[in-house]
Amino acid sequence: MDDFTVYGDTFEKCLHNLDLVLERCQRKSLVLNFEKCHFMVTEGIVLGHVVSERGIQVDQAKVDVIAKLPFPTNQKEIRGFLGHAGFYRRFIKDFAKISQPLTRLLQNEVEFDFNSACKEAFQLLKERLISAPIIRSPNWNYPFEVMCDASDYAVGAVLGQKIDGKSYVIFYASKTLNQAQNNYDMTEKEMLAVVHSFEKFRPYLLGSRVIVYTDHAAIKYLLDKKESKPRLIHWGEDEEEIPDTFPEEHLYLISRHPQLISWDHHKAKLDQVDTSEEAIKKYAEPWFADLSNYLVTGELSCSSDATRAQKLKLKSEAKYYFWDDPYLWKVGADQVIRRCIPEWEQREVLTHCHSLACGGHFGPRKTARKVLDSGFYWPSLNKDAYEFCRECKRCQLTGGISARDEMPQIPVIVCEIFDVWGMDFMGPFPSSYENLYILVAVDYVSKWIEAKATSTCEAKEVAKFLKSNIFSRFGVPKAIISDQGTHFCNRTIEALMKKYGVHHRLSSPYHPQANGQAEVSNREIKNILEKTVNPSRKDWSKQLDDELWAYRIAYKTPIRMSPYRIIFGKICHLPVGIEHRAYWAVYQINIEAKACEEERKLQLQELEELRLESYDAAMWYKERTKLWHDRNLRAKNLQVGQKVLLFQSCLKLMPGKLKSRDNLELCVVEEIPLRMPAYLPI
């Protein structure tokens, strides 16, 4: 025997009981330590609990130790904290539900991540211990009341008595469900809560009348249903009376008079609720507050500024909803009943259906569909799913960019012909007389094109082409635009450009649009060759000269004429015109030398005017193209200090499997306004 307590309702009765105990100790030869004995006290500590005429309380000395504990840093400290706090779990309602984030960290093969949910549970347990209620000892002359409830991962129960119309708490009990119990349906979980409460409160309930309260009305009819599961029939053999109303629901359902629902009290009962001040101000009431109050009380509780149309709309929508405490349910157009989710739970539901193991990071439509299939609903579901997917970091990392994400167009505008040339290599193509590549150069004003079939794409071929095809025929240009390939960026080309005083401009890496005129010419030459070469594709080098001729005399929309005409000031005479249509006219002009001379002089006078017209047409064309391109661009309002993702342009041309295209997070340091040059700076 360690220690014992003698008590009495009055002083005389306490003395009488003390005499009986001391006489019994003498008969059994028990020795008492006088220094440890306390007589005639109004309160005392028994097994770590303070017992007084008010009831049973927690020992404040032990609670103070727990209240000063810092956040745990490993599983051992969490196990120690839960061991200390669990000693007073009978004073804490829903202890298992509150401590669920902490107990999850004690499982095997679970990474220790003490996140915000664990911190909230840790602080809440300490606050509940500091403000633990005073529970009363049982009065054996009154029946016991057991109130049970179950959630997805825990069951809880409260043992109490109703004396003189007032309810008193005797014991709180809760239990976390194991893996097998998590697979129970809701009826089995509610029945498990009843069974667990009887096992926990067995010393109080034996030989006493017990009333069980539950919010699951189906349990009441299990005894009459012969097709029930054996487990449910076995559990339900000993219950005597199971009312289908839960006492706490009278706070916001119906007692004697209908009362409006208290959402502050209701939110405190829900799992994982954000109790920060910002959340409380933002979500003072859920979106279905008026609907729920109308279904409960039958009266419209809308604000005074609500119009008659809004009130009629509320009454019309109410027929699709029903209140089954503590949740509101909606019957959808597909006749599926779904739970209405308040604002403080919507983001968590979207996280589960989009980001977690069963999410898959699908788009907004599939995410919203998955929420509906899971049995949840709120009016702005599709909009919220779109915003959630748009802000998802993982989706941003794996997503690409579209034409709307491009930068505004900056056209290259040149005034004089042959001043700026664009160069590029095409190939490799199938071998044609040992030629594999085509070196292309195009004038930015006249669109005149020069090309040469080469066997390699080396610097010596570029230097030879520039001397023989460009410098010696059209003069030295002011600038040449090319990409950053090694055949253009080397010492040979650098020395050649420096010798002739040519400015060498380089296009952006992995952005061929910077040398757009050369890319367009490459595409046109390639398309012509595809339609003219033999099936063996080995004669393309012989066909190249004919294709260049066809390209030079073709009409170009930006300059509203052909490159041949803007260079020579006249229409190119084709064989078909001389042979079939206009031979007599050419013959008449050629035999009259004076008329031919005057015609050619007139053409030379018109040449300058034609070039001015082509320049104006090119300016107009590029302005219209820029307006058409820029009008659909997505506005980018970046601020200094804002985080942005860098798109890897190389992966757009050469994608890697399972590789993110945006894997570098940068910070905006300085904002530089975009300037639109009117001409190409040399």
Side-chain angles (χ1 to χ4, degrees):
M1 181 181 293
D2 190 6
D3 52 16
F4 53 84
T5 301
V6 181
Y7 69 96
D9 296 335
T10 62
F11 185 82
E12 290 76 16
K13 189 174 182 178
C14 186
L15 283 177
H16 176 72
N17 294 337
L18 181 59
D19 290 337
L20 296 176
V21 173
L22 293 178
E23 289 175 1
R24 186 72 176 269
C25 291
Q26 288 179 352
R27 287 198 302 268
K28 300 299 181 180
S29 301
L30 294 177
V31 179
L32 305 179
N33 189 346
F34 180 79
E35 294 180 355
K36 295 184 178 180
C37 295
H38 302 278
F39 299 93
M40 303 307 171
V41 295
T42 57
E43 65 178 25
I45 299 177
V46 179
L47 299 178
H49 297 77
V50 177
V51 181
S52 65
E53 61 180 359
R54 298 187 301 273
I56 304 175
Q57 301 173 255
V58 299
D59 187 0
Q60 192 62 33
K62 293 186 177 182
V63 171
D64 292 339
V65 175
I66 298 177
K68 296 178 182 178
L69 287 177
F71 289 130
T73 58
N74 50 51
Q75 287 187 346
K76 183 178 180 181
E77 294 180 4
I78 290 182
R79 189 175 288 107
F81 170 76
L82 292 178
H84 286 293
F87 185 78
Y88 292 117
R89 67 185 300 162
R90 66 180 296 181
F91 294 88
I92 302 175
K93 185 180 179 182
D94 297 331
F95 179 89
K97 188 182 298 184
I98 298 174
S99 61
Q100 194 269 340
L102 298 177
T103 55
R104 186 184 61 84
L105 298 179
L106 299 179
Q107 299 176 2
N108 295 331
E109 300 179 359
V110 174
E111 183 181 0
F112 186 87
D113 182 15
F114 202 80
N115 52 25
S116 59
C118 297
K119 294 179 181 180
E120 292 176 3
F122 184 84
Q123 293 292 348
L124 185 57
L125 283 177
K126 294 201 298 185
E127 293 174 3
R128 292 287 180 89
L129 285 171
I130 296 174
S131 60
I134 301 174
I135 60 178
R136 300 188 62 171
S137 57
N139 189 331
W140 305 102
N141 298 323
Y142 290 87
F144 289 93
E145 296 179 349
V146 178
M147 290 151 279
C148 307
D149 197 8
S151 65
D152 292 336
Y153 52 85
V155 295
V158 180
L159 176 65
Q161 286 181 318
K162 184 173 290 186
I163 302 175
D164 297 332
K166 295 182 179 181
S167 297
Y168 299 96
V169 177
I170 299 175
F171 209 115
Y172 289 107
S174 60
K175 174 187 176 182
T176 303
L177 301 180
N178 57 32
Q179 185 175 2
Q181 293 167 347
N182 279 330
N183 297 326
Y184 290 177
D185 57 29
M186 187 51 63
T187 301
E188 291 179 312
K189 289 180 180 179
E190 294 286 348
M191 196 65 187
L192 178 62
V194 177
V195 174
H196 172 69
S197 64
F198 273 73
E199 292 175 353
K200 193 69 177 179
F201 306 144
R202 180 182 178 86
Y204 297 93
L205 305 182
L206 284 176
S208 303
R209 184 173 180 268
V210 182
I211 303 174
V212 180
Y213 293 89
T214 178
D215 59 350
H216 199 73
I219 298 178
K220 188 175 181 180
Y221 307 99
L222 286 178
L223 298 178
D224 299 331
K225 188 176 181 181
K226 303 193 183 294
E227 294 81 15
S228 299
K229 296 181 180 180
R231 184 192 298 120
L232 294 176
I233 297 176
H234 175 70
W235 283 347
E237 289 177 350
D238 299 326
E239 279 72 24
E240 296 180 3
E241 182 177 349
I242 306 180
D244 56 354
T245 58
F246 199 78
E248 288 190 2
E249 294 179 4
H250 291 274
L251 294 176
Y252 42 83
L253 259 179
I254 300 175
S255 56
R256 296 181 180 178
H257 302 284
Q259 299 179 3
L260 295 180
I261 300 174
S262 175
W263 294 110
D264 294 336
H265 176 74
H266 185 63
K267 285 168 57 178
K269 295 177 59 181
L270 298 176
D271 303 333
Q272 301 180 2
V273 174
D274 187 2
T275 56
S276 62
E277 294 183 1
E278 296 181 0
I280 293 175
K281 291 179 180 179
K282 185 176 181 181
Y283 306 130
E285 289 184 347
W287 60 270
F288 52 81
D290 293 336
L291 269 172
S292 302
N293 288 322
Y294 176 72
L295 292 172
V296 171
T297 63
E299 299 178 359
L300 291 175
S301 59
C302 301
S303 57
S304 58
D305 56 348
T307 62
R308 182 174 178 272
Q310 292 175 341
K311 294 180 180 180
L312 292 176
K313 183 175 182 295
L314 179 63
K315 288 183 178 181
S316 176
E317 292 179 348
K319 60 185 177 183
Y320 301 110
Y321 296 85
F322 64 91
W323 176 262
D324 184 15
D325 187 76
Y327 304 121
L328 180 70
W329 303 84
K330 182 182 186 297
V331 181
D334 53 357
Q335 303 304 313
V336 177
I337 300 176
R338 296 181 176 89
R339 179 194 159 198
C340 297
I341 301 298
E343 287 84 344
W344 52 83
E345 294 182 3
Q346 292 173 3
R347 189 165 188 84
E348 183 181 358
V349 172
L350 289 173
T351 301
H352 276 274
C353 295
H354 178 78
S355 306
L356 297 187
C358 60
H361 289 274
F362 288 104
R365 293 180 63 86
K366 290 188 177 181
T367 301
R369 183 71 256 180
K370 190 172 295 185
V371 172
L372 293 174
D373 292 343
S374 301
F376 303 113
Y377 168 81
W378 64 89
S380 58
L381 172 59
N382 290 281
K383 178 183 177 182
D384 294 343
Y386 173 80
E387 293 294 334
F388 187 88
C389 296
R390 189 171 65 88
E391 297 173 358
C392 179
K393 186 175 181 180
R394 296 299 303 175
C395 295
Q396 291 178 0
L397 288 175
T398 56
I401 60 175
S402 63
R404 295 189 62 193
D405 297 303
E406 296 178 357
M407 294 294 292
Q409 276 192 354
I410 304 178
V412 179
I413 301 175
V414 188
C415 300
E416 295 292 336
I417 61 174
F418 306 134
D419 274 357
V420 178
W421 290 78
M423 297 185 65
D424 196 12
F425 266 104
M426 296 174 60
F429 296 103
S431 178
S432 174
Y433 301 96
E434 299 182 356
N435 294 315
L436 297 174
Y437 299 90
I438 301 177
L439 179 57
V440 179
V442 58
D443 176 43
Y444 264 75
V445 176
S446 64
K447 318 303 180 187
W448 184 268
I449 189 172
E450 291 289 334
K452 176 185 178 183
T454 63
S455 57
T456 61
C457 56
E458 297 178 353
K460 60 180 183 180
E461 296 286 352
V462 178
K464 187 188 301 183
F465 176 80
L466 287 174
K467 290 181 179 179
S468 59
N469 292 68
I470 305 297
F471 295 169
S472 61
R473 296 178 60 190
F474 304 102
V476 178
K478 292 184 179 179
I480 292 179
I481 304 176
S482 68
D483 56 31
Q484 299 186 22
T486 56
H487 37 264
F488 294 120
C489 299
N490 51 71
R491 294 182 179 179
T492 302
I493 301 301
E494 183 180 356
L496 181 66
M497 299 293 181
K498 186 176 181 180
K499 176 181 178 181
Y500 288 95
V502 180
H503 182 66
H504 189 193
R505 291 179 59 86
L506 302 177
S507 62
S508 304
Y510 306 106
H511 189 71
Q513 293 88 339
N515 191 12
Q517 189 60 57
E519 297 295 333
V520 171
S521 302
N522 292 348
R523 183 181 63 198
E524 293 295 328
I525 294 296
K526 178 174 173 292
N527 290 338
I528 297 174
L529 287 175
E530 285 179 354
K531 300 169 185 177
T532 57
V533 296
N534 290 333
S536 63
R537 301 180 298 168
K538 293 184 178 181
D539 63 334
W540 60 263
S541 58
K542 285 188 174 182
Q543 298 284 349
L544 184 60
D545 292 335
D546 292 339
E547 314 314 336
L548 293 179
W549 185 17
Y551 184 89
R552 291 163 182 164
I553 63 177
Y555 178 84
K556 300 299 178 184
T557 303
I559 58 177
R560 295 183 179 178
M561 62 187 70
S562 64
Y564 185 92
R565 186 182 181 191
I566 196 175
I567 296 297
F568 298 104
K570 64 176 184 176
I571 302 295
C572 179
H573 294 297
L574 301 180
V576 64
I578 298 176
E579 184 174 351
H580 293 283
R581 187 171 62 86
Y583 177 76
W584 63 273
V586 176
Y587 177 76
Q588 289 292 332
I589 293 176
N590 288 338
I591 63 176
E592 296 181 9
K594 189 68 175 177
C596 184
E597 180 182 355
E598 294 296 332
E599 179 68 19
R600 187 57 184 158
K601 288 181 179 180
L602 181 60
Q603 290 178 347
L604 292 176
Q605 293 295 330
E606 291 178 349
L607 180 60
E608 192 66 27
E609 184 178 350
L610 289 175
R611 292 179 179 176
L612 289 176
E613 290 179 0
S614 66
Y615 176 79
D616 294 337
M619 285 287 294
W620 177 86
Y621 181 83
K622 291 180 179 180
E623 287 179 0
R624 293 295 299 270
T625 305
K626 175 178 171 55
L627 289 175
W628 180 266
H629 174 271
D630 295 352
R631 71 175 185 174
N632 294 323
L633 296 183
R634 186 179 288 109
K636 302 177 182 65
N637 299 320
L638 302 180
Q639 305 294 333
V640 176
Q642 185 178 356
K643 298 290 184 180
V644 295
L645 294 174
L646 177 64
F647 180 76
Q648 297 185 356
S649 301
C650 60
L651 295 180
K652 190 173 183 180
L653 301 176
M654 298 171 288
K657 294 182 179 179
L658 301 180
K659 194 169 185 180
S660 173
R661 297 182 179 180
D662 302 277
N663 61 356
L664 186 59
E665 186 173 318
L666 303 178
C667 180
V668 178
V669 177
E670 183 181 0
E671 182 179 0
I672 302 176
L674 181 64
R675 296 180 180 178
M676 307 294 293
Y679 57 91
L680 180 70
I682 302 300

